[in-house]
Amino acid sequence: MPLPKNQNDTYTSEQYWNLPDGQRAELIDGRLYAMAPPSRIHQEIITGLVSAIHSHIKKNNGPCKVYPAPFAVNLDAEDKNWVEPDISIICDPDKLTDRGCEGAPDWIIEIISPGSRRMDYLTKHILYANAGVREYWIVDPMKKHTTIYQFEKDDAPAIIDFDRTIEVGLWDGLCINIAELLK
């Protein structure tokens, strides 16, 4: 099934799951959004973050799992919001299925691409907050900063430059410096 030419077309999760092999998209409120291939810097950031988070979880015998994209996340019981965050961290094993994650991950990280800025800062921010995601990071390689939302605290977002160390809100002892990951 090709992606819609008419932005007013609505789609179901069945249609989402039957996209042709290799065609990536997200289903948000019944609309399909195509996903462009990521850049090299995008992939370097994902690799560094997944490695740091996975190492911290293993070192502390934590129950959480970290999944880089492509990894499907169904945010709602109505089955109309299937997203593929760049990184999903899930701490409740009951949310994990063969298809991906059913329900909100505890922590989601999106890395901005030129075509995803509006989607990540606006659409997904609201979607993730309403779904129950506890922590949401938007890593912006062009502006060289990370915007952090800790939805449980209901604080204003923190904006941290890449050269500053970020303390992860979900766990004690995990600090990440994006600039260090890119060396």
Side-chain angles (χ1 to χ4, degrees):
M1 174 183 81
L3 289 177
K5 292 184 172 91
N6 180 352
Q7 284 297 344
N8 294 322
D9 290 345
T10 58
Y11 292 84
T12 65
S13 63
E14 182 180 346
Q15 290 169 306
Y16 165 80
W17 281 104
N18 287 307
L19 288 171
D21 286 345
Q23 188 170 24
R24 291 185 56 214
E26 294 179 303
L27 178 68
I28 298 175
D29 293 328
R31 292 175 61 191
L32 282 175
Y33 295 89
M35 299 177 71
S39 68
R40 179 189 56 79
I41 191 76
H42 186 278
Q43 292 303 91
E44 285 182 21
I45 292 170
I46 287 177
T47 300
L49 286 168
V50 167
S51 178
I53 295 164
H54 179 75
S55 293
H56 178 81
I57 292 168
K58 287 292 184 193
K59 178 179 156 190
N60 292 285
N61 296 313
C64 304
K65 300 283 185 181
V66 58
Y67 297 95
F71 180 76
V73 173
N74 180 10
L75 290 171
D76 62 353
E78 296 172 11
D79 214 25
K80 66 178 183 173
N81 289 309
W82 284 91
V83 293
E84 290 186 18
D86 289 317
I87 302 173
S88 302
I89 296 91
I90 297 101
C91 299
D92 179 354
D94 292 337
K95 290 183 179 181
L96 297 172
T97 70
D98 286 342
R99 282 193 159 175
C101 178
E102 295 282 339
D106 294 271
W107 179 15
I108 288 178
I109 301 171
E110 296 282 10
I111 290 86
I112 294 291
S113 298
S116 74
R117 180 172 300 284
R118 183 174 180 79
M119 177 69 74
D120 292 335
Y121 276 108
L122 298 175
T123 305
K124 287 185 176 179
H125 167 248
I126 293 165
L127 190 66
Y128 295 160
N130 290 338
V133 172
R134 296 169 58 201
E135 188 159 341
Y136 175 39
W137 287 19
I138 303 170
V139 180
D140 193 329
M142 291 149 287
K143 294 188 177 187
K144 293 187 174 24
H145 68 240
T146 303
T147 303
I148 300 167
Y149 295 92
Q150 293 180 343
F151 295 126
E152 290 180 323
K153 293 183 180 178
D154 198 28
D155 291 338
I159 299 173
I160 312 289
D161 291 333
F162 275 13
D163 61 352
R164 291 183 44 217
T165 299
I166 304 168
E167 286 186 53
V168 174
L170 291 181
W171 308 307
D172 291 333
L174 178 55
C175 297
I176 297 174
N177 182 301
I178 304 290
E180 289 294 318
L181 295 178
L182 294 173
K183 286 185 178 179

